[in-house]
Amino acid sequence: MKKYLVLSLLYALLAIHAVAGVYEDILHAAEQNETEQVIDLLRRGMDVNTTDAQGNTLLMIAARENNLELVRFLLDNRANLNRRNRYGDTALMLATLRGHEAVARLLLDRKADPNTPGWTALHYAAFENRPQIAALLLAAGAQVNAIAPNGSTALMLAAKRGHLEMVRLLVGAGAEVNEIDRDEGTALDMARKANHAEIVDFLRRAGAR
C-alpha cells in the first residue's frame, strides 16, 4: 500500500511539473510572437484565457506585442475580451498604450468596452498622444469626460503633456474645458504651468477660463 501511495504521489508531481512547463511555454511563445506555437498549444488543450503572474491573458499579451494575427485567433476562439489584469488594464488599454492602432481597431470591432472603471483607454491615448486611436475610441462611445483615479480627464492629460492635436480632437468631441482637478486646476491651468502656449491659446478660444 505504501509503495502504491509513493508511486501515485510521484506521478502526480510529474503531471504538475509537465503542466507547469506547458504553461510557461505558451506564455513565452505569446511574449515572443511565436504565433504558431501558441495556436498549437491551444489546440492541444491549453486554456485560451491563460494568464501570467500579473494577470495578463494571452489576448492582453498579444495586443501589447502588436500580434494582430494572434489577437484575431484568440478572439475567434472566445478569449475574454474585457478581462483586466492586476493593474486594471484590458487588452484594448494595452494596445492603446503601445500605439497599436490595427489591434485597437480589431478589438473595438469585436465590441471591446472603451469605458472601464478608473483609467480608460482614452486616458492612455491622451497621455501617450495617440490621436488616431483616440478617434476610434470616441467613435466607439468612449466617454470623453471620464475622470481617472488621479482626478484627471483625458483633456487635462493631453494639455499638461503638450499634445495639441489631441487637445483639439477632445474638445471637438465635447470635452469639458473647465473641468477642475482639485490639485492642479483646469486643463488651461495645466497647459499654462507647462508653458504650452499654443494649447493655452486654443483652450481660451474654446471657452476655457
Side-chain angles (χ1 to χ4, degrees):
M1 176 64 77
K2 184 180 292 186
K3 182 179 179 180
Y4 175 77
L5 290 174
V6 171
L7 287 173
S8 296
L9 179 59
L10 178 60
Y11 289 143
L13 290 172
L14 289 172
I16 292 171
H17 179 74
V19 170
V22 175
Y23 167 81
E24 292 172 358
D25 287 346
I26 197 169
L27 291 173
H28 178 77
E31 290 166 357
Q32 298 301 313
N33 279 334
E34 296 173 355
T35 304
E36 291 184 6
Q37 185 175 355
V38 175
I39 292 174
D40 178 62
L41 289 170
L42 289 171
R43 286 175 171 162
R44 288 163 56 187
M46 287 295 290
D47 184 358
V48 72
N49 292 308
T50 296
T51 61
D52 66 14
Q54 288 73 47
N56 293 302
T57 64
L58 296 173
L59 180 62
M60 293 177 197
I61 295 170
R64 185 188 68 200
E65 301 302 323
N66 199 27
N67 190 334
L68 185 63
E69 178 187 358
L70 183 55
V71 168
R72 182 175 287 110
F73 178 87
L74 293 168
L75 292 174
D76 288 343
N77 286 273
R78 301 183 180 181
N80 189 324
L81 183 58
N82 294 309
R83 189 161 173 172
R84 306 179 77 173
N85 64 18
R86 287 176 52 189
Y87 310 104
D89 295 328
T90 63
L92 176 61
M93 294 169 72
L94 292 173
T96 299
L97 190 64
R98 294 292 185 92
H100 302 323
E101 183 178 347
V103 172
R105 184 187 300 275
L106 175 59
L107 291 167
L108 288 168
D109 285 346
R110 298 295 184 93
K111 307 305 179 185
D113 184 3
N115 295 311
T116 49
W119 291 97
T120 69
L122 188 61
H123 289 127
Y124 284 6
F127 187 85
E128 294 290 347
N129 197 28
R130 315 288 191 198
Q132 292 82 7
I133 297 179
L136 294 175
L137 294 167
L138 291 165
Q143 295 172 2
V144 71
N145 292 310
I147 298 176
N150 71 346
S152 295
T153 62
L155 179 61
M156 292 175 189
L157 294 170
K160 184 176 182 178
R161 290 177 61 82
H163 303 322
L164 179 58
E165 182 181 358
M166 180 66 70
V167 168
R168 287 173 172 161
L169 174 67
L170 293 169
V171 171
E176 173 53 64
V177 295
N178 292 307
E179 184 72 47
I180 298 176
D181 176 283
R182 289 184 295 179
D183 296 323
E184 298 193 69
T186 64
L188 178 61
D189 293 328
M190 296 178 190
R192 186 186 294 116
K193 290 174 187 175
N195 296 315
H196 300 312
E198 287 185 283
I199 292 177
V200 169
D201 291 342
F202 176 81
L203 289 173
R204 282 175 173 163
R205 292 196 302 271
R209 300 186 297 275

